Amino acid sequence: MSRIEKALAALGLGLALAAPVAATEQIRVHPDLAYGQGLVGGEQAIERPLLMDWYQPAAATDALRPAVILAFGGSFVRGSKGDEHFTENGAQDSSIADYCRAIARQGFHCFSIEYRLAGERPVLATPVASQRLMPEALAVTPQTTARIDIARQAIGLPPMDNTMRAEFWQALLSASEDMETAVNHVRSEAAHYGVDPERLALGGFSAGAITAINAAYGRHVPVKAVVSLSGSTWGYLLPGNLPAQSPALLQLVGQDDLPGVIRGSAAVARALDSAGASRQQAWVPGFGHFYPMGAVSLGDDFSKLSVEQRVVAFLRKQLTAD
């Protein structure tokens, strides 16, 4: 029994899990489709293809469907667009592929994208104006990147030095550039995918959620909604820089999530609230940074839904409402 399970058992609770959302459609999976190119290699940069997996609702229809573009977590140094899971303190998360399957079974197209990681030494195709960004010297200090070093250690890499932190900063920013590239690709090929280009949402877990927040609210990528699973604000300055019509946001965090995630989620919430943007939030009791989509979440409206149910309900409201 894990530490979390023991603590909850002592309180007479136990890890709360809900029944899966009933599947309504069969799906087809189209792996490793190229959605663009990204520069890697530092000063001697070359282009490499950026790939995604397309989860397609299989039911035949002439109607264009909404679509969701998701990014995996992994501290911008590891992770996969497929079935990779992380485990900590006895709790395991759902993979980004799990979320895509669940979303596609509800009638949405879902795209799981890869993005350039720090080890590739990515280079931005277009520089970002400094006034739109946090100061790099404050954003990537040894203190702010301590969690990244834990992820690096897990894959056999040494702690970051100043050069590596500068490369990490480029990876943090290039990830949202890649997500924007994915949105532009899906929009331009909307007829091929059967997607309604005006009904798109972004989302992700951890680093993937930061990427979605940066793309939608920092880079002003035009989408209807954003799902942040233990995301934060990091890279782009949101106060005073939000788009005129900010997409709706759903934020979820674990009860014992990373302090930076909780503080960062609160900062994102304040920025959106001050701009009058639509926002929902929920806690996942009994879990830290990693939680399965079947875990029960408690909303600020007193609702009690699994993470999966809450994500699906939010997407349905934002993307299918008349």
Coordinates of all heavy atoms in Angstrom, one line a residue, residues 29-36 49-55 81 111-114 185 192-193:
V29 N -7.1 4.6 -35.2 CA -5.9 5.4 -34.8 C -4.9 5.4 -36.0 O -4.6 4.3 -36.6 CB -5.2 4.7 -33.6 CG1 -3.9 5.6 -33.2 CG2 -6.1 4.6 -32.4
H30 N -4.5 6.6 -36.4 CA -3.5 6.8 -37.5 C -2.2 7.3 -36.9 O -2.2 8.5 -36.6 CB -4.1 7.8 -38.5 CG -5.5 7.4 -39.0 ND1 -5.7 6.6 -40.1 CD2 -6.7 7.8 -38.4 CE1 -7.1 6.5 -40.2 NE2 -7.7 7.2 -39.2
P31 N -1.2 6.5 -36.7 CA 0.0 6.9 -36.0 C 1.0 7.6 -36.9 O 1.0 7.5 -38.1 CB 0.6 5.6 -35.4 CG 0.2 4.6 -36.5 CD -1.2 5.0 -37.0
D32 N 1.8 8.5 -36.2 CA 3.0 9.0 -36.8 C 2.7 9.8 -38.1 O 3.4 9.6 -39.2 CB 4.0 7.9 -37.1 CG 4.5 7.3 -35.8 OD1 4.6 8.0 -34.8 OD2 4.9 6.1 -35.8
L33 N 1.8 10.7 -38.1 CA 1.5 11.6 -39.2 C 2.3 12.9 -39.0 O 2.4 13.4 -38.0 CB 0.0 11.9 -39.3 CG -1.0 10.8 -39.3 CD1 -2.4 11.3 -39.3 CD2 -0.7 9.9 -40.5
A34 N 3.0 13.3 -40.1 CA 3.7 14.6 -40.0 C 2.8 15.8 -40.0 O 1.9 15.9 -40.9 CB 4.7 14.6 -41.2
Y35 N 3.0 16.7 -39.0 CA 2.2 17.9 -39.0 C 3.1 19.1 -39.3 O 2.5 20.3 -39.4 CB 1.4 18.0 -37.7 CG 2.3 18.3 -36.5 CD1 2.6 19.6 -36.2 CD2 2.6 17.3 -35.6 CE1 3.4 19.9 -35.0 CE2 3.3 17.6 -34.4 CZ 3.7 18.9 -34.1 OH 4.4 19.1 -33.0
G36 N 4.4 19.0 -39.4 CA 5.2 20.1 -39.6 C 6.7 19.8 -39.5 O 7.1 18.6 -39.4
P49 N 11.1 16.3 -38.9 CA 9.6 16.2 -38.9 C 9.0 16.1 -37.5 O 9.6 15.5 -36.6 CB 9.4 14.9 -39.7 CG 10.6 14.1 -39.6 CD 11.7 15.1 -39.4
L50 N 7.9 16.8 -37.3 CA 7.1 16.7 -36.1 C 5.9 15.8 -36.4 O 5.2 16.0 -37.4 CB 6.6 18.1 -35.7 CG 7.7 19.1 -35.5 CD1 7.1 20.5 -35.4 CD2 8.5 18.8 -34.2
L51 N 5.7 14.8 -35.5 CA 4.7 13.8 -35.8 C 3.6 13.8 -34.8 O 3.7 14.4 -33.6 CB 5.4 12.4 -35.7 CG 6.6 12.2 -36.6 CD1 7.1 10.7 -36.4 CD2 6.2 12.4 -38.0
M52 N 2.4 13.3 -35.2 CA 1.3 13.2 -34.3 C 0.5 11.9 -34.6 O 0.7 11.3 -35.6 CB 0.3 14.4 -34.5 CG -0.3 14.5 -35.9 SD -1.4 15.9 -36.0 CE -2.1 15.6 -37.7
D53 N -0.3 11.5 -33.6 CA -1.2 10.4 -33.8 C -2.6 10.9 -33.8 O -3.0 11.7 -33.0 CB -1.1 9.4 -32.6 CG 0.3 8.8 -32.5 OD1 1.0 8.8 -33.5 OD2 0.7 8.3 -31.4
W54 N -3.4 10.5 -34.8 CA -4.8 10.9 -35.0 C -5.7 9.9 -34.5 O -5.7 8.7 -35.0 CB -5.0 11.3 -36.5 CG -6.4 11.6 -36.9 CD1 -7.4 12.1 -36.2 CD2 -6.9 11.4 -38.3 NE1 -8.5 12.2 -36.9 CE2 -8.3 11.8 -38.2 CE3 -6.4 10.9 -39.5 CZ2 -9.1 11.8 -39.3 CZ3 -7.2 10.9 -40.6 CH2 -8.5 11.3 -40.5
Y55 N -6.6 10.2 -33.6 CA -7.6 9.3 -33.1 C -8.9 9.8 -33.7 O -9.4 10.9 -33.4 CB -7.7 9.4 -31.5 CG -6.4 8.8 -30.9 CD1 -5.2 9.5 -30.9 CD2 -6.4 7.6 -30.3 CE1 -4.1 9.0 -30.3 CE2 -5.3 7.0 -29.7 CZ -4.1 7.8 -29.7 OH -3.0 7.3 -29.1
K81 N 4.1 10.8 -27.0 CA 2.7 11.0 -27.5 C 1.8 9.7 -27.4 O 0.6 9.7 -27.7 CB 2.7 11.5 -28.9 CG 3.3 10.6 -30.0 CD 3.3 11.3 -31.3 CE 4.0 10.5 -32.4 NZ 3.5 9.1 -32.6
F111 N -5.9 14.6 -31.5 CA -4.5 14.5 -32.0 C -3.5 14.6 -30.9 O -3.5 15.6 -30.1 CB -4.3 15.7 -33.0 CG -5.2 15.7 -34.2 CD1 -6.4 16.4 -34.1 CD2 -4.9 15.0 -35.3 CE1 -7.3 16.4 -35.2 CE2 -5.8 15.0 -36.4 CZ -7.0 15.7 -36.3
S112 N -2.7 13.6 -30.7 CA -1.7 13.5 -29.7 C -0.4 13.9 -30.4 O 0.1 13.2 -31.3 CB -1.6 12.2 -29.1 OG -0.5 12.1 -28.2
I113 N 0.2 15.0 -30.1 CA 1.4 15.5 -30.8 C 2.7 15.3 -30.0 O 2.7 15.3 -28.8 CB 1.3 17.0 -31.1 CG1 1.3 17.9 -29.8 CG2 0.0 17.3 -31.9 CD1 1.5 19.4 -30.1
E114 N 3.7 15.1 -30.7 CA 5.1 15.2 -30.1 C 5.5 16.6 -30.3 O 5.0 17.4 -31.1 CB 6.1 14.2 -30.8 CG 6.4 14.6 -32.3 CD 7.5 13.7 -32.8 OE1 7.9 12.8 -32.2 OE2 7.9 14.0 -34.0
H185 N -1.7 23.2 -39.0 CA -1.8 22.0 -39.9 C -3.3 21.5 -39.9 O -3.8 21.2 -41.0 CB -0.9 21.0 -39.5 CG -1.0 19.7 -40.2 ND1 -0.6 19.4 -41.5 CD2 -1.7 18.5 -39.8 CE1 -0.9 18.2 -41.8 NE2 -1.6 17.6 -40.8
H192 N -9.7 17.2 -44.9 CA -9.1 15.8 -44.9 C -9.4 15.1 -43.6 O -9.8 13.9 -43.6 CB -7.6 15.9 -45.1 CG -6.9 14.6 -44.9 ND1 -7.0 13.5 -45.7 CD2 -6.1 14.2 -43.9 CE1 -6.3 12.5 -45.2 NE2 -5.7 12.9 -44.1
Y193 N -9.3 15.8 -42.5 CA -9.5 15.1 -41.2 C -11.0 15.1 -40.8 O -11.4 14.4 -39.9 CB -8.7 15.9 -40.1 CG -7.2 15.8 -40.2 CD1 -6.4 16.9 -40.4 CD2 -6.6 14.5 -40.2 CE1 -5.1 16.8 -40.6 CE2 -5.2 14.4 -40.3 CZ -4.5 15.5 -40.5 OH -3.1 15.4 -40.6

